Amino acid sequence: MLTPQEIKEKQAWRSMGLKDQEYERICEFLGRLPNYTELGMYSVLWSEHCSYKHSRHLFKLFPTKGERVLIGPGENAGAIDIGDGLAIVMKVESHNHPSAIEPYQGAATGVGGILRDIFTMGARPIASLNSLRFGDPRDENVRRLVRGAVAGIGDYGNATGVPTVGGEISFADCYRGNCLVNAMSVGLVRHELLTRATASGVGNPVMVVGSTTGRDGIHGATFASAEFSEEDEGELPIVQAGDPFTETLLIEACLELIESGVVVGIQDMGAAGLTSSSAEMASKAGSGIEMDLTVVPQRDEGMSSYEIMLSESQERMLVIPKAGAEDQVKAIFEKWGLHAVVVGRVTDDGMLRVFHHGEVAAEVPAKSLSTDGAPSYVPEAKRPEYLDELWSFDFNQLEDLKQEEIQDAFWKLLASPNIVSRRWIWEQFDQHAQLRTLVGPGSDAAVLRLPGTKRGIAITVDCNGRYCYQNPRVGAAQAVAEAARNIYASGGKPIAITDGLNLGNPEKPEIYWQLKETVQGIAEACEALGTPVTGGNVSLYNETDGEAIYPTPIIGMLGLLEDAEKHATIGFKNKGDLILLVGENKDELSGSEFLTVQHGLVAGPGPELDLELEKRNGEFCRSLIEKGLVSSCHDISDGGLAIALAECAMAGKLGARVKLYCPERRDSLLFGESQARYVVSLPEENYDALRGLAEKQGVSISLLGRVEGEEFTVELGEEKVISTRVSEMLDLWSSGLERLLGEE
């Protein structure tokens, strides 16, 4: 390793992703030149991935408090009170760059990492979801990435016994060189067992527990904070390898340890490994930590202090137990076949001091490594010029669909990569482990029962990146609104979100403007809908050869059902039921899947958004479900009204006869993506009660038709424009993704 003087002469910090002024800042903190291990520690913790140095100043815009928020941003995950002394712990985390290199392990370790964030809080993980973005699925490399990522998610989740109950996937050219793999996990915990990541109590032991430490994943955090380029090949870090069976043992050992009452603090070793866990825990407590790396269990021979401190080997935790409880901790972990080794102690001097083979390998102020010490930048913001072209598009120049063209357009949309069934994906996941799942993948939101109570939770992830590209602020707000519609349509009341902000390089003024607008949009929607932000993740520098992805703020949302049995799903249930539209169709095509599929266009500012209307229509649908007035409920999103109706028919394997009247354009009526809309079905005898509630609550409803047997027909005026059998739609739609991926 280079000496401190050689580091200075060769400007070695640059290869670690540090700026010249950041190196100078490190020298000021230390009052001397840093050695190689110390420089590596700063480089990972001051990376964007760990310090959010270009984004954290924006987070003050988020509403983070509420009557149900027990723990907000700043811990491993947020905790939300759901009554009866129970809390839900949840978080979204990205693993984009590793998945682009090695999709199976990148996605698998993404799942493992987010699970550790949950049980570190003392919560048992009860559900996982995922949000994925890829390029054109007909591209062979994209197919490789999809297959690998889906298999990694499925294999890791299935092996740990945590059901994967929902998720979403989208395809667009902008993700070709930079796929997105975001994982969400949800846990359940009693209030009194909620645990924080803090290293307090001078003299308390510091223990490494779980798996051994190897050379995998070194500088993973720095790598996740940089753009891709073709020139990077051969300089990429080794992606971490996950072991779900060890993770399963670790879950049980950690939960048993927390139940024992001897834990002062506990932190998983995610990005930056031992460096981040020790520095963050000490910084939060205002304490220091001394560690001897020589005794850290290692799987590779001859590891240096630099390698041990920066390793991102999986399935490891840092535990601060009460003094005197060391043997108890060891006994619990030995019972589960895992390591538990005392590697140091808590001190009162605020220093992170690391020994290796009897020598001081690093000695730095703990707070200087944390976000308290990390630099913070407010880049220049500039509205992108591409928006002028998008927003000035004249939709009047588009010729409306002729009546005889509508059926072909319908089939094209039904076969679109962004609309076809995701069955091929979710069939690889265990959806029913732990026996809590009432509604799994394929509906608007997953619904889980909670033990010992009538209550249930609804959970979903959502985002339309195209909307965000067209208008980052409104598009981000729409991601929150869409997630809320999924919750409302399932019978839940939205109560909190976690987010994963995926964007390009924030040092570019146009990208920073997108980031700023995205945060403001989420904040506005969360204020309007009463869903505080409990935490999340930022993944920036998602670019390849200078081309950025769409701004993609993934929204994970939690909803609460007072009675879990009073939930809804999307499928039509009974022949003869009436079909109603809740909300109003608008004459708009901007941002629609139809516009992209039919015309090859992304144009306009995206669909209009009215957050007050979103809440009013959503609460109305929730009340219908709670009162048992409707048989099914489905929000209208990608593909518009015609596709939503088809999805209801296919899910229920029942047809429908729908009659519409078209005052303006046919294409926008059938395939436009106006917001705040739902399709509901109900017995005819409930119609008067529903109509009365709609009038009382100021909600617009329209009668569309009836549920029928095997035929699915849509009429405009007196002419059938879509006419098919449900079985024909299912043949095309249900195996569409397999065909696109070449899996048939």
Side-chain angles (χ1 to χ4, degrees):
M1 289 190 291
L2 300 176
T3 67
Q5 189 60 38
E6 288 171 334
I7 290 170
K8 183 178 180 179
E9 291 171 357
K10 297 183 179 185
Q11 300 179 321
W13 59 86
R14 293 180 176 178
S15 64
M16 294 184 183
L18 288 166
K19 304 178 187 294
D20 291 354
Q21 65 267 31
E22 292 172 346
Y23 174 75
E24 293 170 4
R25 185 180 177 97
I26 294 167
C27 293
E28 290 174 6
F29 272 126
L30 299 180
R32 56 176 171 81
L33 301 180
N35 65 33
Y36 199 78
T37 297
E38 292 167 338
L39 190 66
M41 292 163 63
Y42 279 105
S43 74
V44 292
L45 283 192
W46 284 13
S47 68
E48 185 67 41
H49 187 77
C50 292
S51 73
Y52 300 155
K53 58 189 176 186
H54 291 94
S55 55
R56 68 177 188 266
H57 63 277
L58 295 171
F59 299 159
K60 64 180 182 292
L61 298 171
F62 287 147
T64 59
K65 300 186 184 301
E67 61 181 16
R68 293 188 177 276
V69 178
L70 299 173
I71 298 175
E75 284 289 340
N76 287 292
I80 306 98
D81 179 20
I82 57 170
D84 297 324
L86 297 173
I88 290 294
V89 173
M90 66 177 188
K91 190 181 180 185
V92 165
E93 182 78 63
S94 63
H95 229 221
N96 301 334
H97 285 49
S99 299
I101 299 173
E102 213 302 293
Y104 182 90
Q105 287 294 354
T109 52
V111 174
I114 196 65
L115 290 176
R116 290 193 296 279
D117 282 338
I118 299 305
F119 68 79
T120 296
M121 301 288 295
R124 178 171 292 281
I126 61 171
S128 293
L129 302 91
N130 52 80
S131 177
L132 312 173
R133 298 292 185 278
F134 299 95
D136 189 332
R138 289 161 288 224
D139 179 278
E140 189 51 48
N141 186 55
V142 171
R143 290 176 169 180
R144 178 186 68 84
L145 292 172
V146 174
R147 293 173 190 136
V150 170
I153 292 167
D155 288 353
Y156 202 102
N158 296 348
T160 58
V162 180
T164 302
V165 299
E168 51 137 20
I169 184 170
S170 291
F171 301 90
D173 287 343
C174 69
Y175 303 109
R176 179 180 60 84
N178 217 123
C179 65
L180 302 183
V181 176
N182 284 225
M184 178 179 175
S185 186
V186 175
L188 183 67
V189 63
R190 298 197 310 274
H191 288 188
E192 66 270 20
L193 292 178
L194 277 169
T195 307
R196 298 179 182 264
T198 182
S200 57
V202 175
N204 280 336
V206 176
M207 301 184 72
V208 170
V209 304
S211 191
T212 53
T213 297
R215 290 189 169 94
D216 49 322
I218 292 173
H219 264 293
T222 310
F223 165 60
S225 306
E227 297 180 32
F228 280 145
S229 80
E230 293 180 0
E231 299 173 0
D232 291 333
E233 229 173 298
E235 300 181 6
L236 301 174
I238 300 171
V239 175
Q240 312 96 312
D243 180 352
F245 301 103
T246 298
E247 181 100 340
T248 304
L249 300 173
L250 189 62
I251 291 172
E252 299 303 329
C254 287
L255 293 180
E256 183 176 337
L257 181 66
I258 291 167
E259 284 264 11
S260 74
V262 303
V263 173
V264 175
I266 183 170
Q267 172 78 35
D268 80 293
M269 295 190 206
L274 190 54
T275 295
S276 63
S277 55
S278 58
E280 289 171 8
M281 293 180 80
S283 178
K284 286 179 183 177
S287 64
I289 285 179
E290 282 187 359
M291 293 187 296
D292 182 1
L293 302 185
T294 313
V295 298
V296 173
Q298 298 163 46
R299 71 173 71 119
D300 295 328
E301 293 184 4
M303 291 186 70
S304 67
S305 59
Y306 174 92
E307 292 172 324
I308 297 170
M309 288 301 292
L310 270 66
S311 168
E312 294 183 9
S313 296
Q314 301 291 284
E315 295 88 35
R316 300 178 301 153
M317 313 287 278
L318 197 67
V319 175
I320 313 295
K322 296 175 182 176
E326 296 92 331
D327 289 343
Q328 188 175 351
V329 176
K330 289 177 182 179
I332 290 172
F333 280 85
E334 285 172 4
K335 169 186 164 183
W336 293 101
L338 299 170
H339 295 284
V341 178
V342 177
V343 299
R345 64 184 181 90
V346 178
T347 65
D348 63 356
D349 62 1
M351 300 298 290
L352 178 58
R353 192 173 293 107
V354 178
F355 296 89
H356 195 219
H357 298 304
E359 296 183 356
V360 177
E363 188 172 23
V364 303
K367 278 192 177 295
S368 72
L369 289 166
S370 72
T371 53
D372 292 332
S376 180
Y377 302 114
V378 182
E380 177 191 355
K382 181 183 177 184
R383 183 180 180 275
E385 292 180 0
Y386 75 81
L387 291 177
D388 294 332
E389 183 180 351
L390 286 184
W391 290 16
S392 63
F393 183 81
D394 182 8
F395 283 88
N396 292 320
Q397 68 182 276
L398 287 181
E399 188 176 343
D400 193 8
L401 289 173
K402 298 179 176 64
Q403 300 229 20
E404 63 271 19
E405 296 173 329
I406 290 173
Q407 180 117 350
D408 284 344
F410 172 76
W411 286 122
K412 281 175 71 175
L413 267 178
L414 208 60
S416 163
N418 292 326
I419 289 177
V420 291
S421 170
R422 277 67 176 118
R423 185 191 64 180
W424 175 82
I425 295 175
W426 76 59
E427 284 185 345
Q428 299 182 52
F429 303 154
D430 186 341
Q431 308 157 29
H432 297 285
Q434 303 186 20
L435 303 177
R436 291 187 175 92
T437 309
L438 291 171
V439 180
S443 200
D444 286 319
V447 179
L448 279 69
R449 62 169 64 87
L450 299 174
T453 173
K454 289 177 62 179
R455 292 188 179 91
I457 58 170
I459 43 179
T460 187
V461 289
D462 217 296
C463 178
N464 188 315
R466 185 169 57 241
Y467 290 177
C468 298
Y469 173 71
Q470 294 177 250
N471 190 332
R473 184 183 295 200
V474 176
Q478 282 164 327
V480 178
E482 165 66 8
R485 288 199 296 275
N486 291 335
I487 300 295
Y488 282 130
S490 302
K493 183 177 182 62
I495 59 174
I497 77 159
T498 174
D499 59 40
L501 308 183
N502 304 273
L503 293 97
N505 182 348
E507 298 172 65
K508 298 177 179 178
E510 294 83 0
I511 302 296
Y512 179 69
W513 184 89
Q514 290 179 335
L515 173 61
K516 189 176 178 181
E517 290 287 293
T518 295
V519 171
Q520 288 175 325
I522 293 171
E524 289 167 7
C526 287
E527 286 280 8
L529 298 174
T531 53
V533 180
T534 62
N537 169 245
V538 178
S539 174
L540 305 180
Y541 298 92
N542 290 291
E543 299 193 11
T544 301
D545 295 327
E547 294 296 317
I549 63 167
Y550 288 158
T552 311
I554 304 300
I555 303 298
M557 184 173 283
L558 172 69
L560 185 63
L561 292 84
E562 291 299 327
D563 186 344
E565 298 301 323
K566 293 181 178 179
H567 63 267
T569 55
I570 72 174
F572 293 145
K573 303 296 189 299
N574 311 299
K575 292 180 185 178
D577 275 2
L578 300 179
I579 303 170
L580 270 67
L581 170 69
V582 176
E584 295 182 349
N585 298 315
K586 296 180 180 178
D587 189 22
E588 55 183 351
L589 285 172
S590 180
S592 65
E593 184 72 9
F594 168 82
L595 193 63
T596 300
V597 170
Q598 187 73 14
H599 298 285
L601 290 173
V602 175
E608 294 179 6
L609 178 66
D610 182 335
L611 290 169
E612 183 182 339
L613 183 65
E614 290 282 0
K615 189 169 185 176
R616 182 164 67 248
N617 288 359
E619 286 291 346
F620 172 72
C621 287
R622 185 181 70 84
S623 70
L624 298 180
I625 297 166
E626 193 172 57
K627 296 176 186 298
L629 293 176
V630 295
S631 307
S632 69
C633 186
H634 183 28
D635 84 300
I636 300 174
S637 56
D638 295 348
L641 176 59
I643 295 300
L645 288 164
E647 289 169 341
C648 295
M650 291 186 290
K653 294 185 172 60
L654 286 170
R657 182 181 179 185
V658 172
K659 190 164 188 172
L660 305 173
Y661 297 92
C662 187
E664 297 178 11
R665 295 182 66 110
R666 290 177 285 270
D667 50 9
S668 62
L669 172 64
L670 290 164
F671 307 120
E673 295 177 10
S674 297
Q675 305 289 284
R677 295 183 299 162
Y678 302 79
V679 170
V680 301
S681 67
L682 70 157
E684 188 169 358
E685 59 266 28
N686 293 348
Y687 178 65
D688 287 343
L690 184 149
R691 185 172 60 183
L693 284 171
E695 290 175 358
K696 184 178 179 181
Q697 297 181 30
V699 172
S700 173
I701 61 169
S702 310
L703 184 60
L704 300 180
R706 287 185 185 271
V707 178
E708 294 194 344
E710 299 178 353
E711 300 293 324
F712 179 81
T713 62
V714 178
E715 300 174 14
L716 283 183
E718 302 303 318
E719 184 173 346
K720 286 184 182 179
V721 294
I722 299 174
S723 181
T724 182
R725 296 173 71 86
V726 174
S727 58
E728 289 180 278
M729 294 193 299
L730 279 168
D731 285 345
L732 175 69
W733 176 81
S734 63
S735 58
L737 193 56
E738 292 101 305
R739 284 194 294 273
L740 289 164
L741 294 171
E743 293 292 316
E744 281 194 328

